[in-house]
Amino acid sequence: MTKASRVPVIGILLIGVIGPSARVSAQQRPVIADQIAKTYGLDSWDQVEAIRYTFNVDWPALRLKTSRSWVWEPKTDRVSYDGKDKDGNPVKVTYSRSQLASQSAVVKNEIDPAFNNDQYNLLFAFHIVWDTSATVQDAGKQKLPLGKGSAEKVEMNYPSEGGYTPADAWTLYVGNDGRVRELEIHRVNAPPSVYLTTFANYKKAGPLLIALDRPGSGDGKPLSIHFTKVAVKLAGSNTWLDAQ
């Protein structure tokens, strides 16, 4: 069994460094990459002291239906988790990702990979700028694979080595407003091999723009991801700003 298969999660991609310090120079990516990230609030990311959310996935074909709740403090990379382990036992834990080596096997092999998966799905528009290993290309206007009309096609390809799922290809279809309308993922080493979804129910949590609902399909079977209880806490404040 591979390490990735221990956790029933979607879209696991381990990132060397999460956050602004991992940005590549603007000359190495197309202009639209920065436009997308800014649309979702990247310029205000430094104001975010903490972000909380619950990741919910429903994939009937695999009898997979689960929820995981998180609080992430990006400046310190401190994570709090409330959910279950792979055996269905309730787990509540807080840990520092800089000290992951000293954590239990459950945290290292189950919870932290799940955090990477869920955080990536929530904030993936920022990873277009943050992820140094991926190549990003603007493929111009293309027909939407699911809906009617066309949108700007942006291709994001990961290298064949490194991370949990090497060689993944992420294709974003972006509207004139800079918002992602649809997403297509082709994966090599983890299910689903093809994931198609639309982005719906956009809300603002403080300065961040988030699509709460991602209805779609995995390998041709219905698969839905949605986020609940999304909120951010800004630097200098103790108030949570709910997505609305």
Side-chain angles (χ1 to χ4, degrees):
M1 181 180 292
T2 65
K3 187 175 182 182
S5 64
R6 294 177 185 171
V7 187
V9 290
I10 298 165
I12 292 179
L13 287 168
L14 285 189
I15 304 137
V17 181
I18 296 176
S21 61
R23 296 176 186 173
V24 295
S25 67
Q27 290 81 5
Q28 294 175 280
R29 58 180 180 264
V31 172
I32 194 171
D34 292 271
Q35 292 174 341
I36 295 168
K38 289 180 179 181
T39 296
Y40 285 80
L42 183 63
D43 286 346
S44 300
W45 178 250
D46 288 344
Q47 302 174 25
V48 176
E49 193 72 26
I51 182 167
R52 71 182 183 194
Y53 55 94
T54 297
F55 172 91
N56 309 276
V57 59
D58 186 6
W59 195 2
L62 293 190
R63 297 182 180 178
L64 173 61
K65 187 173 185 178
T66 191
S67 297
R68 296 186 288 262
S69 296
W70 305 95
V71 176
W72 179 34
E73 301 168 47
K75 290 181 172 59
T76 59
D77 219 1
R78 187 169 180 261
V79 174
S80 296
Y81 170 70
D82 186 354
K84 297 180 179 180
D85 63 16
K86 64 182 178 63
D87 297 319
N89 301 311
V91 176
K92 283 188 178 182
V93 65
T94 297
Y95 64 98
S96 173
R97 302 190 72 238
S98 64
Q99 300 173 4
L100 191 60
S102 65
Q103 300 298 321
S104 68
V106 169
V107 171
K108 287 187 288 188
N109 298 331
E110 297 181 35
I111 294 174
D112 196 62
F115 166 75
N116 274 285
N117 175 81
D118 300 357
Q119 175 271 134
Y120 195 100
N121 275 277
L122 182 74
L123 301 174
F124 93 99
F126 293 167
H127 287 281
I128 301 171
V129 172
W130 286 348
D131 290 3
T132 58
S133 63
T135 59
V136 182
Q137 294 182 327
D138 184 350
K141 288 282 187 182
Q142 303 284 341
K143 184 181 182 300
L144 290 169
L146 295 174
K148 296 180 179 180
S150 61
E152 197 77 8
K153 182 179 180 180
V154 179
E155 299 172 336
M156 188 175 181
N157 295 285
Y158 284 84
S160 58
E161 296 181 0
Y164 270 66
T165 54
D168 280 1
W170 295 59
T171 302
L172 294 66
Y173 293 86
V174 184
N176 294 331
D177 57 1
R179 296 184 178 190
V180 175
R181 295 179 60 186
E182 296 182 7
L183 172 67
E184 181 176 0
I185 305 173
H186 289 261
R187 311 187 67 207
V188 176
N189 296 312
S193 58
V194 179
Y195 172 52
L196 278 166
T197 186
T198 58
F199 277 54
N201 194 18
Y202 272 98
K203 302 292 183 182
K204 290 290 291 287
L208 305 185
L209 178 67
I210 297 171
L212 299 182
D213 297 335
R214 321 278 177 87
S217 65
D219 294 332
K221 304 294 184 180
L223 189 163
S224 178
I225 291 174
H226 68 279
F227 294 93
T228 53
K229 301 178 181 178
V230 178
V232 299
K233 186 186 293 185
L234 302 182
S237 173
N238 291 320
T239 302
W240 285 101
L241 303 175
D242 294 328
Q244 57 186 356

